[in-house]
Amino acid sequence: MFNVKVKSDVLKGVIDVVSPLVNEAKFNITSKGISLRAVDPAHVAMVDLQVKDKAFEEYKANEMELGIDMDKLASIMRLSGSGDIITLEYDEDTNRLIIKIGNLIRKMGLIDTAGMPDPKMPNLNLPAKVVLKASELNQGVRASEAVSDHLALTVDKDNFELYAEGDTDTVNLKLPKDLLLELNTTTKCKSLFSIDYFSNMIKPVKGEDPITIMLGNDNPIRVEFNIADNKGHVTYLLAPRIESE
Amino acid sequence: MVDWTEKYRPKTLDEIVGNERAINELRKWAYLWKKGTPKEKAVVLSGKPGVGKTSAALALANDFKWTPIELNASDARNAEKIKNVAMYGAMYETFSEHGDFVSSRYGGRKLIILDEADNLYERTEKSTQFGTDFSDKGGKKAIIDTIRVTNQPIVLIVNDYYGLIRGSGEVLKQMCKLIRFYDPHPRAIYSLLKRICLSEGINVDSKVLQSISDRCKGDVRSAVNDLQSICFDRKQVTIETLNAIGYRDREKDIFTALREIFKTRNINVIRETILHLDVDPKLVLLWIDENLPREYIDVNDLLEGYKALSEADVFLGRTYKTQNYDLWSYASDIMNGGVALAKTHSYPNDSYSFPTWLKEKKDIKSSSVTRDLIIKKLSKLCHNSDSKTRDFILSYFINMFRNNTSFAVKMKKKFDLSENEVEYLLGKTHAYKLKEIISASELEDIIKPIKEPVKEKTTMKIEKKDKKEKIQQSLFDF
C-alpha cells in the first residue's frame, strides 16, 4: 500500500535531485518514509535520497518498491502550481500510480523494478570537510561553466578553493575559513570534477541553505544537504576526472 | 522462461566458443590498461552476428573486474546520448553497479561498449519524420571525440567494419585496434550445446546437436536459440522429433540460387533452393535478367534463356493482374528450370551482380522524394494543389533558380531549402552554383543585422536595384 499527500514543492524537490542522474528510478517505500539509491548510466555519479514520512502531509505505506520514469513524473508535476497538495496512490491491480492534482487525475504506468540494482554506499577516505552556503558555491560554479567542462576543488587548512581553466580564460573562487560555516581537514586535498554534474548536484539547494562537501585526493566528492524543510536528506557522490599520465 | 542465450552467456573469456586468437588479442589489449592508457584506446570487434562479440566484451569486463557500460541499438543513440554517457564515462572515474569505488590507478575501470557501432548514425528522429534519410553524422563524430579524450577502455562492436570506417569514420582506422571474429567450428558449437543439454537435464540425440551445429553456420546465438526451441517442454529429443517439428532450414542466399540455376541442370535441386530462398520471384527474375548475359556467352543459349525468362514474366504479370498467387509456381519453374536447361555449355563466370535496374530505380526514388518536398513547399505558398505545382510551376521555378543566383539565395531562405533540395533544383548542369548559393545565404544571415540601420542612407541606385528584383520575384514575395 502506498497512499500519501504531499506538497507540490516537496515532490518537485525530489525530482530535481533525482532526474539529472537517472531517467528510471526505483524508490524503496517503507512505513517510515521513502528512499532511493542509484548510479547514473555513465557510472560517474551516485545519489542517495531519504525522505521521512514527516515530510508528507499524510503518509500511509507498507514496504514496497516503485519504479518511476522521472521524465514522465516531471512533466506531470509541471501541471501543478506551487502550494498545491498532491495525492499519490498506488493501484495494485493495474500497477499504476494515481496522481491527483486538484480535480485532475493522472494515472501513470510504472516501470518493472526487477533487475534494477541496489547499490551500496562505498567506504571512502575523505579527510576534508567543508560546510558553506549554497549561494557562495553557486556563483563560482556558474562562472566556471562558461570557461571549461571541469573544475578543481581544493581544501587546505585555511581555504576552500574552486578553480577552472579553459583555453584562454580561468575562474578562481577562494573562500577563507571565516566565510565558511565549517572547515576541517588534516591534509591538503584536491580533485577534479565535471562541471555539468557538479552544478546539477548543487542546484536543488537554494540561497543561504548549507551544503556539506567532503573531499579527498583524486577520490570522489561527497555532497550532502537537506531538502523538504530538513525532513529529507540527499547525499551525492561524484567520481573525479582521470588525470592522464 | 529464461532465454538460454542469456542464461548461458559466457562469464569469462575462457568460456567463449572458438575464436581463440581474437580472444587472446583482446586479453593482451586489456593487460595494457593495467600499465596506464595504451596508444590504441579502443578496439573494434568485427564479425558476423552471433559469433560472440558482445559476449566477449562483457566477459572481458567481468574477467578484469571492470564495470561495463553498454550502449546498444535499443537505446536512442544520437550524438547527445553518446556524449552524455560514453564521453562522461570515458573521462571520469567509476562507481560500479553495486556502488563500489576503485580508482583507475588501482585497476577500477569501466569498459564502454558501443554495440552495433556500424549502424547507429542512421537512427535519428529526423530520419523517420519525413520518410527520407537525413542521417545525422553526429554519431560518428561523437564516437571519434570520445575515443580522443577517453581514459577508459572502449569496445566498438560491428558487423560491417567498412560501414564504420567509411567516410568520416576514416580516422577510426588509425585510432582503433581491429580484432576480427570468425565463425567458430561446428565441433566447438556442438560441445557447447552438449554442455547446455547436460545442465538442463534434457536428453538430446547427438545427431540432433550435430545437425544444429552444422546448420547454424557459425552463428552460436541462433544455434542456442534453435536448441531451446526444440527442447521446449521436452525431456527427450531424438532425430525423429527434429524432423517432426520441421526444423527450419537456414535461408539460402540468392547467389547460391543463381549458381545452381546457371551451373546445374537438375531442376529438383534448383526448386529446393528457390523454395528456401525467401525472395520474391519478381526479384529473382531481375537477378537472372542482370546476370544471364554475363553468364551465357553462346548466343543460342542466351536466346533460349531469355525466351524462358520472358515466358515467366508473362506469368508474373498475370499473377499481379489477377492476384492469383498460385501462378507464381509456374513463373518460378519456367524461369528457373527454363534458364537452367537453356544452356548447352558450361561457363566459367563466378561473380554475380545486383540488378542495375533496381539500383537506378533507387536513385530516382530518392530524388523524387526531394522533389516532392520542394513541391509541397511551393504549393503551400501558391495555394494550389501539388499536381498543379508539379505540372505548371516547378519547371519555371527551376529555370529561375538556375539562372538567377540572387533569386536562388532568396528562395533558399524563404523555403528553408536544405542542401539536398538546392542540389536537386540546380541539377547536374548547374551544380557548380551550389557552394555559391549556400555560402551566400549564410553570409546574408550574418550581414543583415549590421546592414539594417544603414539602409536609410543608401543611394538611389541600390534602391532601384532592390525594386527591380522585387518586380521579377513578385510571384513568390507574398
Side-chain angles (χ1 to χ4, degrees), chain B residues 237-466:
Chain B
V237 181
T238 61
I239 195 85
E240 282 77 33
T241 354
L242 183 72
N243 293 334
I245 57 173
Y247 182 60
R248 72 183 147 111
D249 258 298
R250 212 130 283 286
E251 236 175 63
K252 300 220 164 141
D253 63 4
I254 184 84
F255 296 100
T256 328
L258 284 178
R259 207 159 292 133
E260 273 169 10
I261 291 169
F262 288 141
K263 305 293 182 202
T264 71
R265 299 176 64 86
N266 188 338
I267 295 181
N268 279 332
V269 173
I270 296 170
R271 272 196 88 167
E272 185 78 6
T273 310
I274 294 288
L275 199 69
H276 294 303
L277 183 71
D278 190 21
V279 175
D280 189 331
K282 210 173 163 188
L283 192 63
V284 181
L285 184 113
L286 289 174
W287 275 90
I288 296 179
D289 170 48
E290 175 74 27
N291 293 294
L292 192 59
R294 295 167 211 266
E295 180 83 16
Y296 289 6
I297 297 161
D298 185 332
V299 184
N300 284 323
D301 286 6
L302 190 61
L303 179 67
E304 290 300 317
Y306 269 119
K307 265 187 187 161
L309 208 57
S310 64
E311 207 167 319
D313 198 27
V314 172
F315 276 91
L316 279 181
R318 286 178 188 157
T319 315
Y320 291 108
K321 213 186 274 165
T322 60
Q323 291 293 302
N324 179 1
Y325 283 88
D326 289 347
L327 295 173
W328 257 14
S329 66
Y330 296 102
S332 199
D333 282 348
I334 292 171
M335 168 167 69
N336 306 327
V339 172
L341 294 179
K343 59 180 167 292
T344 52
H345 310 270
S346 58
Y347 301 100
N349 180 34
D350 197 37
S351 70
Y352 301 110
S353 50
F354 188 85
T356 326
W357 187 76
L358 271 186
K359 227 188 272 171
E360 278 172 6
K361 203 176 149 206
K362 221 180 198 172
D363 293 344
I364 292 166
K365 209 173 164 191
S366 76
S367 80
S368 80
V369 168
T370 318
R371 194 193 61 187
D372 289 348
L373 280 176
I374 298 169
I375 287 176
K376 276 224 163 63
K377 289 178 181 175
L378 281 175
S379 314
K380 200 171 173 198
L381 192 81
C382 302
H383 295 282
N384 53 24
S385 69
D386 287 355
S387 62
K388 211 165 198 178
T389 309
R390 185 178 57 230
D391 294 343
F392 298 110
I393 296 180
L394 188 67
S395 58
Y396 296 115
F397 184 76
I398 288 179
N399 211 350
M400 283 161 80
F401 198 90
R402 286 183 184 173
N403 294 321
N404 184 339
T405 312
S406 66
F407 172 75
V409 172
K410 219 164 178 181
M411 287 304 112
K412 180 184 181 312
K413 215 172 153 114
K414 189 164 188 84
F415 292 114
D416 192 22
L417 297 171
S418 71
E419 202 169 324
N420 252 341
E421 289 163 347
V422 174
E423 206 176 339
Y424 172 80
L425 285 170
L426 288 173
K428 273 188 186 138
T429 47
H430 291 72
Y432 61 90
K433 279 190 173 176
L434 179 67
K435 246 192 196 144
E436 193 185 334
I437 290 170
I438 285 181
S439 63
S441 68
E442 274 166 5
L443 205 66
E444 210 171 68
D445 285 344
I446 304 164
I447 288 177
K448 227 178 192 167
I450 309 166
K451 247 186 174 173
E452 224 105 58
V454 196
K455 218 175 184 178
E456 287 169 7
K457 290 176 199 165
T458 43
T459 54
M460 287 288 285
K461 221 177 178 181
I462 293 173
E463 265 179 33
K464 239 182 201 168
K465 211 176 169 188
D466 270 331

